[in-house]
Every structure is written in structure tokens, then in C-alpha cells.
């Protein structure tokens, strides 16, 4: 499979950003009739309370991800106080609730059902950070497509995904839900996921509405602590954090979720600059905006409003159409309208947007069209879906170390399978695993058995997060019977994700000590990491013979890991987030600036730590293969080019090893002199290519001046004449350079 990202797509996010700086004053909300007579007719019949009901989203009693404020959601449906529900799925349950809405309410407006379908509904795919490491946009789109198909058949209309928050701080547990640290890659993956979820269009029974979240900059909480303050310059925001939301909107995402954090001192839920000025005026977003869970209420704690009622007024005026779980709109909005603090026109505008999607889904013609037992039966956990999950899972795995070619294992070797994650299933489907169940998951032990690599001995050794070493003896006994140890260690599924920030991002408990004990036996040790974020693993890197990063890789985890360990699949994943050596280096990311005193190992007075290197342990873009690749020196079709022209960068890539394999060739640029400081390196294109052993291919990348554009000193988006270094290689840390000039 091959991805060729042409110059037109390379600059997609950037092009769309060109108008961002144009306006400075938020425009007034101007409600306009939609032009859809069905909506206007319905709106004319609605009471204020019924309108507010459409702007209200409650969880059912099945699940919650925060405080549960309303329990009587069925009565809320009956009274028209609630037009949308989340955490309600499966055919019988959604049919039962929908029946209440369309049979027992005055206006018979169907409900909208939402859910966090993040990396699968029942067939669980690798966590998004893992999928991103595949650098395979087709596979990522397919994963979202399958998730949508299963979810839609189970009665769902709407997923709270994709999460596109740029993550540069691995302490923040939610990096597992995103695509990593890079903006360009983040944009491409955001688009792929939206395409996957929404398929051929909203209204098809295999598509769900995408919700891009968490708007905006939720990925940059200070200290990596979830829900914390975000503070950054406008330039930084627009250049690194904002583009993926825009890419998702431009790819057609019809809903947006406001984030919990503040931006420039104003909570996103009440932030007119974000919700009106950027989203509506600059990007012409036509869908609706939902809060995050009790996001309106939380503005009181943020300290920008005195009480819930004022919070509701701020939210609606800023552009929040739907209140998730906070019940603020339901409790106070009618009063605010009566007092003249909120205009009826603002309410109408929000209701129009919500009704428009319900019409587009086709729910007024057939409110049950998505809840279909036959379709659910045919698609959920089907062999094809499981095969796709296995394929994406193995593509997501990153080989971090492979000393003395200890991997792949051969089937004659006697394996001791050790570690607290050797047999678990619940952890392998990871956090945010939708309706997925550990019971459907293939454990690593089962995967090895299925591959004909049945371990001669299995031992847990220790728990995931306990210091107790009493299980070490059994582990050492197991190792004594084997030729090689496969050690499955990492994080429990609840150690990353929402509300799961960690100050120590180590492999917790006694797991590292277990490795040390096993290493002392002299047997080669292959570490299989299962985790939801980059971890600090210098000790593991020093001691393990091989390290395979498998993330939490989903329902087919065990089979997929066995595919890689056995060599049935040659690993091709590359990291999309740097692995720091220690938390003291955080944030560490590849596209940093040079600073006035760039790092020089021989000079004290340069930007550095006196007790640790600057570079991460494993850089963005890094990942090994069972074969080796050699890059030729890149060449440019011309040394100088003008605005409006394109330039072609070519490089020869050879598979110099003994097996076929895929390589992710990455192209980075460095703007040597700009009106503002520029990163030392920025990803601008990549291709994932398969090469047979011994094969050479010439790769070409077409770039235009748009690829060299940025927010100049005057905040205008564009390019500046000057010299650029272009690097093409297998990670972000190569020196394979060609120089070009933009005139
Ligand atoms: C809170 C999370 O921040 C958000 O991502 C999720 O969609 C909602 N809860 C609903 O579960």
C-alpha cells in the first residue's frame, strides 16, 4: 500500500488557514432561516421549552464520564425536555427510547443518539495514538468506517470523535485518543477519521455524524494535568494547535465539541472568539456545537460567571447549541429569554442547526432506521471486521529496539511468556473502548498459541502497579525452561485516558525490576509494551534485547502481536509522539525552535540540561523494521523556484535487508531565515511504501510555496523568499538534506 500526499493535499490545512488573521472583531449572531421549509414549519409550532429541549443532551443510566445530574431522562424525553441522549445504544434500547420520543411527545421529534465511539464500537481497533503510528491513512479511515457501521446498526447517529487535540505532553492521559504531536499528520488523520465516520454521507445507515473535539487546544493543559488551564500565544495556537480542528471541519464534520479548558482566559464553552469568530466566521461551519460534559456549569468554577444561569447565558451567546449533561439550558434558559438576556433568535438558530441534522439523518421519515437487528448481527464483530482490526493493529506497532536480530522469533524457540499483561484482555482493548468487551479480545497468550508458538511456561511475575516481588520466583522458573523470554508489561487500561494524567510516566510498579531479574538469567528478553502514552523507559531500553511498542491494540491484539513477533508481519509503525528519557524533558517534541543558543554538547552556555540530554529517547517518526532501508541523497527538480511554481524532491529508497518491508519516508523542511523564528524541522509530506528485499524505488514529493508558508510577523499567512533545507528520511532525526531557495 502506498500513500502519496501530493502538494495540493500537503498544504490543505495551511491553505485553509490563510484567512485566519483577517478579522479581529467577533461578528454578531445573525439567525437566518435555513431555507428548509420542514424546519421552519416545525420551529413555528415549538414552545420555548420544547426548543430548549432540543438543545439538551443527557446521558442515560448506562454509563457516565462525570457527575450524573439527571436521572429521570425518560420523563425528560416525554416532556420534550431532552432531544438527544448519549450512552444509549443497542437496538432494543434505542428503539425503546425512540418510541417514547415519537409516540409520547407532543411534537414527535425523534431523538439523536450519541456515544464515544473512539476506536471501535464492538470490534475494537488500536487506540488512536497507536493507529496514528501506522501512518496509513487508508487503514485509519477503514477503522473509523467499520466503527461507524457497527455503531449505526446499533442505533447510534453520532460519535464524539475524532479527537484531534495535538499532544506534546505525555503526562496528559488523553494523548492516547489523538494522533500525536505533529500538526500536519494530525490534519491528515483528522480528515481520514471524519471520512471514515461519515462515509458516503450523513443519512446513510452505515454512517454516523462526526464530532471534532475538544475545541480548542485541550491538548495543552499546563503540567499535563487534565482539565487544567491552557495558555499560549495566538501564533502558536494558530500554527500548531488549531489546524486539525479546521481540517476536520473542512472534511465535513458536522458537529464540534467545545473543550473544558480556557483559551486566553475565557473558557472555550463561553468563548465567542473560538465559537463565533473562528468557527463560524472564518471557517463557515454550518453544523452545531455541543459542550463537553457539564462544560457550561464548569464556567462557574472557572470563575467567569457567578452562577449556572449566567453560565448558560454566556454559553448560548458564545455559540453553544447543545448542553451536554449540565441541565443548565433546561433549568434557566427560558427565564433568561423572558428577561431579555438571551434573544429568541439565538435559540431558534441553535434549534435549526440541530433539527437540520435530524432531518439529514432521515429520522423524521423513519426514526428507527439506524436500529437494525439484522444489520447489527451481520456487522458486529464479523470476521471481516476482526480481520481489519488485526491488520490495523499490526500496522500500528513500533519496533523500538532489536539488538542482535532477536526478533522475529522462530517457531522452534522455547518461549517463556511472562508479565502482568501476558494474559489480560480488558487492558488490551484500552481506554475509551466503546461497547467493546475484554471477553471478545485475543490475549497475547492466545495469540501466540494461535500462531503455533505456544509458550513452554507462563508466569505473571508481578501486578501492573504493585511493588510486590513475590511472583518473581515463578517468573524466573518459567524463564529457566525457555530459550527466550517475552515480557508483556505496561499500563492498565485506566492509566491513560480522561482524568488519568500521570506525574511519573514510567512502566509502573515492580515491572522494571522484573525485567532486571529476568535479564540476569542471561536469556534474551523481548519486551512487549502495552500502554496508552509515551513512557520514560531508558532502563528498559538499556536492558531489553528487543522492545515492541504495541499500545493497547484492540480486540485482535494477541493475534496481531504474534504476527509481528513471528515475522508473519514485518513491523512498519513509526512513533507520532516523542518518547522522553525523563519527565523533566517534557514537553519534548521534534519541531522545536533553534533558540539563540542552540544545543551544543561542547558548550555550557547553550540551551540544555546539565543532567540530561535534550533529545528524546525515541524521536518522532522513529521505528525499526526487520529489514533495513537506505536513502539516497535527495535531489530537487530546480534549486530555486517562485511563488505559484512547484518543486519536485526525489529520493532513492532501497530495501537493503533480507526481507520485504514497508517504510514511512518522511519529508521535513527547515526555513533557515524567517521574519519570525521557525522550527528546526517540520513534516510536510510522507509516503508509506512497500519494497521487496533488494528493491529500489524513486520517491517523488511535489511541494509548492504554500508548503513553505506560515504566520509571518504581521500574522498574515504566506511564504517568504529565502533558503530552505529539505530532509527526507526514515525519522525526524536524519541529515539527508537538499537545499532549495524560494525567490
Ligand atoms: C467527557 C470527555 O471529555 C469527552 O471527550 C466525551 O465525549 C464526553 N465526556 C462524553 O462521554
Amino acid at each position: 500500500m502506498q500513500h502519496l500526499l501530493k502538494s495540493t493535499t500537503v498544504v490543505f490545512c495551511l491553505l485553509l488557514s490563510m484567512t485566519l488573521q483577517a478579522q479581529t472583531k467577533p461578528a454578531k449572531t445573525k439567525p437566518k432561516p435555513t431555507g428548509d421549509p420542514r424546519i421552519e414549519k416545525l420551529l413555528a409550532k415549538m414552545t420555548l421549552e420544547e426548543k430548549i429541549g432540543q438543545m439538551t443532551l443527557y446521558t442515560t443510566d448506562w454509563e457516565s464520564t462525570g457527575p450524573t445530574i439527571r436521572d429521570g431522562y425518560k420523563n425528560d424525553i416525554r416532556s420534550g425536555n431532552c432531544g438527544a441522549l448519549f450512552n444509549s445504544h443497542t437496538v432494543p434500547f434505542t428503539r425503546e427510547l425512540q418510541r417514547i420520543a415519537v409516540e409520547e411527545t407532543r411534537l414527535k421529534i425523534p431523538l439523536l443518539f450519541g456515544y464515544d465511539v473512539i476506536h471501535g464500537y464492538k470490534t475494537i481497533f488500536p487506540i488512536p495514538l497507536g493507529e496514528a503510528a501506522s501512518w496509513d491513512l487508508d487503514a485509519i479511515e477503514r477503522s473509523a468506517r467499520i466503527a461507524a457501521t457497527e455503531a449505526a446498526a446499533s442505533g447510534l447517529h453520532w460519535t464524539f470523535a475524532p479527537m484531534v487535540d495535538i499532544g506534546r505532553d505525555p503526562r496528559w492521559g488523553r494523548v492516547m485518543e489523538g494522533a500525536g504531536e505533529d500538526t500536519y499528520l494530525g490534519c491528515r488523520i483528522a480528515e481520514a477519521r471524519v471520512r471514515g465516520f461519515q462515509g458516503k454521507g450523513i443519512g446513510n445507515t452505515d454512517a454516523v455524524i462526526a464530532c471534532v473535539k475538544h475545541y480548542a487546544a485541550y491538548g495543552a493543559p499546563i503540567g499535563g494535568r487534565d482539565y487544567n488551564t491552557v495558555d499560549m500565544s495566538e501564533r502558536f495556537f494558530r500554527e500548531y494547535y488549531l489546524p486539525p480542528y479546521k481540517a476536520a471541519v473542512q472534511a465535513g464534520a458536522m458537529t464540534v465539541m467545545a473543550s473544558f479548558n480556557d483559551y486566553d482566559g475565557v473558557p472555550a464553552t463561553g468563548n465567542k472568539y473560538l465559537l463565533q469568530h473562528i468557527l463560524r466566521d472564518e471557517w463557515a461551519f454550518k453544523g452545531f456545537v455541543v459542550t463537553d460534559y457539564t462544560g457550561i456549569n464548569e464556567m462557574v468554577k472557572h470563575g467567569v460567571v457567578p452562577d449556572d444561569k449566567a453560565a448558560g447565558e454566556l454559553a448560548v451567546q458564545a455559540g453553544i447549541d447543545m448542553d451536554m449533561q449540565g441541565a443548565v439550558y433546561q433549568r434557566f434558559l427560558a427565564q433568561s429569554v423572558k428577561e431579555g438576556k438571551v434573544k429568541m433568535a439565538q435559540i431558534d438558530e441553535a434549534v435549526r442547526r440541530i433539527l437540520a441534522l435530524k432531518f439529514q439523518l432521515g429520522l423524521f421519515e423513519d426514526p428507527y432506521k439506524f436500529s437494525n437487528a439484522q444489520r447489527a448481527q451481520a456487522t458486529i464483530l464479523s470476521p471481516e471486521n476482526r480481520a481489519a482490526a488485526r491488520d490495523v493493529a499490526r500496522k500500528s506497532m513500533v519496533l523500538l529496539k532489536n539488538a542482535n536480530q532477536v526478533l522475529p522469533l522462530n517457531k522452534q524457540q522455547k518461549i517463556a511468556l511472562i508479565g502482568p499483561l501476558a494474559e489480560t484482555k480488558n487492558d488490551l482493548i484500552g481506554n475509551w473502548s466503546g461497547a467493546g468487551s475484554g471477553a471478545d479480545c485475543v490475549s497475547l497468550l492466545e495469540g501466540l498459541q494461535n500462531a503455533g508458538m505456544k509458550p513452554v511456561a507462563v508466569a505473571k511475575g508481578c501486578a501492573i502497579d504493585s511493588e510486590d516481588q513475590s511472583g518473581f520466583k515463578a517468573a524466573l522458573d518459567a524463564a529457566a525452561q525457555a530459550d527466550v523470554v517475552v515480557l508483556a508489561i505496561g499500563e492498565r487500561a485506566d492509566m491513560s485516558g480522561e482524568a488519568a494524567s500521570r506525574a511519573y510516566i514510567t512502566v509502573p510498579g515492580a515491572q522494571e525490576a522484573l525485567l532486571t531479574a529476568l535479564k540476569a538469567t542471561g536469556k534474551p528478553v523481548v519486551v512487549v509494551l502495552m500502554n496508552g502514552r509515551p513512557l520514560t523507559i531508558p532502563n528498559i531500553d538499556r536492558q531489553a534485547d528487543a522492545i515492541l511498542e504495541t499500545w493497547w491494540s484492540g480486540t485482535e491484539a494477541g493475534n496481531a502481536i504474534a504476527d509481528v513477533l513471528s515475522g508473519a508481519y514485518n513491523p512498519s509503525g513509526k512513533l507520532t509522539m516523542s518518547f522522553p528519557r525523563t519527565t523533566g524533558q517534557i514537553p519534548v517534541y521534534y519541531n522545536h525552535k533553534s533558540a539563540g543558543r542552540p544545543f551544543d554538547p561542547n558548550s555550557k552556555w547553550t540551551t540544555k540540561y546539565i543532567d540530561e540530554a535534550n533529545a528524546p529517547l525515541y524521536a518522532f517518526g522513529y521505528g525499526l523494521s526487520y529489514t533495513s532501508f537506505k536513502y539516497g541523497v535527495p535531489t530537487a527538480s530546480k534549486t530555486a523556484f517562485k511563488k505559484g511554481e512547484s518543486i519536485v524532491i526525489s529520493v532513492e529508497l532501497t530495501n537493503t535487508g533480507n526481507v520485504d518491508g514497508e517504510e514511512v519516508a518522511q519529508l521535513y523542511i527547515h526555513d533557515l531565515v524567517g521574519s519570525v523564528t521557525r522550527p528546526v524541522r517540520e513534516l510536510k509530506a510522507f509516503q508509506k511504501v512497500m519494497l521487496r528485499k533488494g528493491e529500489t524505488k524513486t520517491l517523488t514529493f511535489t511541494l509548492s510555496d504554500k508548503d513553505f508558508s506560515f504566520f509571518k510577523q504581521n500574522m498574515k499567512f504566506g511564504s517568504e523568499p529565502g533558503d530552505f533545507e529539505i530532509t527526507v528520511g526514515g525519522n525526524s532525526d536524519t541529515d539527508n538534506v537538499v537545499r532549495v531557495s524560494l525567490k
Side-chain angles (χ1 to χ4, degrees):
M1 170 152 350
Q2 174 169 329
H3 294 303
L4 178 55
L5 297 174
K6 300 206 176 80
S7 58
T8 42
T9 49
V10 169
V11 294
F12 190 57
C13 293
L14 303 175
L15 250 180
L16 296 169
S17 305
M18 288 181 74
T19 55
L20 294 186
Q21 74 294 336
Q23 299 150 61
T24 47
K25 276 196 193 142
K28 286 199 182 125
T29 312
K30 287 186 210 115
K32 283 185 215 93
T34 55
D36 184 336
R38 298 171 305 177
I39 296 176
E40 299 310 316
K41 206 169 143 199
L42 185 54
L43 201 58
K45 288 189 205 156
M46 293 172 80
T47 64
L48 175 57
E49 285 70 21
E50 284 165 337
K51 289 177 183 174
I52 293 168
Q54 291 303 307
M55 298 167 71
T56 296
L57 168 68
Y58 289 138
T59 183
T60 64
D61 43 14
W62 275 20
E63 288 170 40
S64 67
T65 60
T68 301
I69 290 179
R70 303 283 297 185
D71 285 329
Y73 63 94
K74 288 192 184 166
N75 289 334
D76 287 322
I77 303 171
R78 275 188 194 98
S79 55
N81 279 332
C82 164
L85 285 169
F86 67 118
N87 297 328
S88 39
H89 49 101
T90 71
V91 173
F93 194 36
T94 52
R95 281 188 168 252
E96 176 200 337
L97 298 174
Q98 195 66 294
R99 191 201 56 75
I100 301 176
V102 299
E103 290 184 13
E104 298 184 26
T105 66
R106 191 179 80 87
L107 291 173
K108 309 195 180 336
I109 302 175
L111 291 167
L112 186 69
F113 295 116
Y115 194 42
D116 289 287
V117 181
I118 308 296
H119 53 112
Y121 173 68
K122 270 276 189 189
T123 305
I124 303 304
F125 286 73
I127 56 168
L129 184 63
E131 282 193 351
S134 74
W135 295 61
D136 187 330
L137 300 178
D138 291 342
I140 292 170
E141 181 174 338
R142 187 146 171 248
S143 153
R145 190 82 288 285
I146 289 171
T149 309
E150 291 192 359
S154 308
L156 288 162
H157 311 130
W158 185 24
T159 177
F160 302 139
M163 185 277 217
V164 304
D165 306 322
I166 293 296
R168 290 176 164 187
D169 190 333
R171 291 172 297 184
W172 188 52
R174 303 203 75 172
V175 296
M176 60 145 281
E177 285 171 69
E181 71 190 38
D182 184 62
T183 307
Y184 171 78
L185 184 62
C187 287
R188 301 291 81 77
I189 291 179
E191 292 157 0
R193 290 198 207 280
V194 171
R195 284 195 304 268
F197 287 131
Q198 297 193 167
K200 293 212 173 77
I202 296 163
N204 288 298
T205 50
D206 64 354
V208 290
I209 300 168
C211 181
V212 55
K213 71 186 189 186
H214 305 82
Y215 184 70
Y218 184 44
I222 293 174
R225 228 167 49 230
D226 207 3
Y227 316 123
N228 201 14
T229 308
V230 167
D231 201 7
M232 64 177 71
S233 70
E234 176 89 2
R235 179 183 309 284
F236 206 70
F237 176 59
R238 286 194 180 263
E239 187 152 342
Y240 301 111
Y241 283 83
L242 196 56
Y245 307 101
K246 183 171 189 179
V249 165
Q250 300 288 340
M254 286 307 290
T255 66
V256 169
M257 186 185 293
S259 52
F260 286 127
N261 56 282
D262 60 342
Y263 172 72
D264 198 17
V266 182
T269 310
N271 196 315
K272 208 165 183 168
Y273 180 68
L274 295 178
L275 299 176
Q276 182 64 42
H277 176 54
I278 296 181
L279 188 62
R280 300 274 178 206
D281 301 343
E282 291 184 12
W283 301 351
F285 173 65
K286 297 280 184 282
F288 73 77
V289 180
V290 63
T291 67
D292 203 343
Y293 202 108
T294 62
I296 300 181
N297 319 52
E298 291 173 26
M299 290 203 285
V300 178
K301 288 274 168 59
H302 271 292
V304 295
V305 281
D307 52 36
D308 281 356
K309 177 166 172 287
E313 289 158 8
L314 180 60
V316 83
Q317 279 154 5
I320 294 286
D321 302 306
M322 190 180 276
D323 173 4
M324 182 196 289
Q325 190 59 13
V328 173
Y329 281 0
Q330 190 192 325
R331 286 180 291 148
F332 303 109
L333 211 48
Q335 184 61 26
S336 301
V337 172
K338 278 166 203 147
E339 289 170 8
K341 293 193 172 133
V342 169
K343 294 196 178 65
M344 186 64 108
Q346 287 172 310
I347 305 282
D348 286 347
E349 182 73 346
V351 177
R352 278 192 185 97
R353 291 178 186 136
I354 294 161
L355 290 178
L357 280 184
K358 291 189 176 184
F359 276 109
Q360 210 176 322
L361 284 164
L363 295 178
F364 287 90
E365 288 86 47
D366 178 1
Y368 304 106
K369 71 185 257 198
F370 290 86
S371 316
N372 184 300
Q374 265 177 330
R375 264 203 316 273
Q377 165 86 21
T379 182
I380 287 173
L381 285 166
S382 68
E384 301 77 50
N385 291 3
R386 292 193 79 123
R390 178 173 178 166
D391 186 50
V392 181
R394 56 197 205 169
K395 285 181 166 146
S396 301
M397 292 172 190
V398 185
L399 183 63
L400 297 175
K401 182 176 179 185
N402 194 17
N404 307 319
Q405 312 283 293
V406 65
L407 287 178
L409 303 175
N410 72 55
K411 291 194 177 157
Q412 279 66 54
Q413 280 173 300
K414 284 190 269 168
I415 298 170
L417 176 62
I418 298 175
L421 287 151
E423 290 188 78
T424 60
K425 296 177 171 224
N426 288 338
D427 296 304
L428 268 58
I429 59 172
N431 207 299
W432 288 120
S433 48
S437 158
D440 297 319
C441 176
V442 180
S443 71
L444 177 52
L445 174 60
E446 290 168 345
L448 290 172
Q449 285 165 342
N450 295 342
M453 300 166 78
K454 187 171 186 286
V456 290
V458 181
K460 192 169 167 193
C462 61
I464 291 174
D465 61 348
S466 147
E467 298 298 337
D468 181 5
Q469 301 192 359
S470 56
F472 279 24
K473 172 146 187 342
L476 293 170
D477 289 347
Q481 301 171 48
D483 303 324
V484 59
V485 173
V486 172
L487 178 62
I489 53 177
E491 292 184 299
R492 228 185 17 244
D494 62 359
M495 288 181 165
S496 288
E498 186 179 355
S501 293
R502 294 179 63 201
Y504 304 94
I505 55 166
T506 54
V507 172
Q511 297 181 91
E512 272 194 25
L514 178 61
L515 167 62
T516 307
L518 290 167
K519 187 64 194 164
T521 65
K523 301 278 163 86
V525 182
V526 173
V527 167
V528 173
L529 283 175
M530 301 172 179
N531 49 289
R533 55 152 64 76
L535 298 166
T536 51
I537 52 167
N539 291 333
I540 295 175
D541 179 62
R542 248 190 312 276
Q543 297 184 76
D545 296 275
I547 306 174
L548 181 67
E549 173 57 81
T550 70
W551 317 103
W552 291 318
S553 44
T555 304
E556 285 287 320
N559 286 334
I561 298 169
D563 284 342
V564 177
L565 294 181
S566 67
Y569 181 80
N570 184 356
S572 62
K574 304 266 188 177
L575 297 177
T576 65
M577 237 187 129
S578 309
F579 272 46
R581 294 166 197 274
T582 171
T583 43
Q585 290 182 310
I586 297 172
V588 57
Y589 47 91
Y590 84 95
N591 50 348
H592 60 86
K593 306 282 184 75
S594 132
R597 293 182 178 195
F599 173 74
D600 175 351
N602 302 316
S603 167
K604 174 178 169 65
W605 311 103
T606 61
T607 179
K608 67 196 322 184
Y609 301 103
I610 58 171
D611 53 359
E612 186 49 278
N614 281 14
L617 183 62
Y618 305 119
F620 175 85
Y622 170 81
L624 303 172
S625 164
Y626 294 153
T627 189
S628 49
F629 296 99
K630 188 171 182 321
Y631 285 82
V633 177
T635 55
S637 54
K638 44 193 158 191
T639 49
F641 69 111
K642 293 196 212 99
K643 269 193 184 186
E645 290 179 0
S646 57
I647 183 166
V648 179
I649 308 299
S650 308
V651 69
E652 282 200 345
L653 177 62
T654 306
N655 179 343
T656 49
N658 293 324
V659 284
D660 301 348
E662 283 175 290
E663 167 70 335
V664 181
Q666 303 154 42
L667 182 146
Y668 298 88
I669 68 160
H670 178 201
D671 185 350
L672 297 177
V673 180
S675 61
V676 293
T677 56
R678 304 300 303 140
V680 293
R681 200 156 279 200
E682 297 171 83
L683 182 72
K684 288 295 171 185
F686 65 89
Q687 294 180 36
K688 188 163 188 175
V689 279
M690 166 60 91
L691 290 154
R692 291 189 307 279
K693 60 178 173 179
E695 190 183 6
T696 298
K697 277 185 181 162
T698 302
L699 311 183
T700 57
F701 302 86
T702 305
L703 305 172
S704 75
D705 69 278
K706 303 293 185 314
D707 296 302
F708 301 85
S709 296
F710 59 95
F711 288 95
K712 297 184 279 189
Q713 197 171 62
N714 59 8
M715 282 304 277
K716 293 229 185 312
F717 188 80
S719 60
E720 292 174 343
D723 294 337
F724 296 84
E725 282 179 353
I726 299 177
T727 322
V728 185
N731 64 64
S732 60
D733 193 21
T734 57
D735 290 320
N736 202 22
V737 169
V738 59
R739 217 170 150 130
V740 298
S741 307
L742 177 58
K743 295 291 175 200

